[in-house]
Amino acid sequence: MSRKNKAFDIPTFHESVKIEYEAGLITLKQAAIEFYKGNWTPFVDLEYTKKKLGI
């Protein structure tokens, strides 16, 4: 029996936030809060969030 090794297709933290934002599940401010809560920014930073979301 042959078993194929396949990598899991798990998005990164930034990709997850971007997917949720693009799907309309969260607002820009909520995305910024997620980056803050995930310790990616020291405060709720809308400019960083815009850069990471490509807007």
Side-chain angles (χ1 to χ4, degrees):
M1 179 180 231
S2 175
R3 193 173 199 195
K4 294 183 180 181
N5 292 330
K6 290 188 178 181
F8 292 105
D9 187 19
I10 301 172
T12 64
F13 179 75
H14 287 90
E15 291 171 334
S16 295
V17 174
K18 185 173 183 173
I19 290 167
E20 289 180 1
Y21 175 76
E22 290 176 344
L25 301 174
I26 60 175
T27 65
L28 180 63
K29 185 171 183 176
Q30 289 170 324
I33 292 169
E34 288 299 316
F35 285 125
Y36 168 71
K37 285 182 178 180
N39 291 323
W40 287 95
T41 59
F43 57 93
V44 178
D45 188 347
L46 293 176
E47 292 305 314
Y48 174 85
T49 303
K50 287 178 184 178
K51 182 180 174 184
K52 286 298 175 183
L53 298 179
I55 55 173

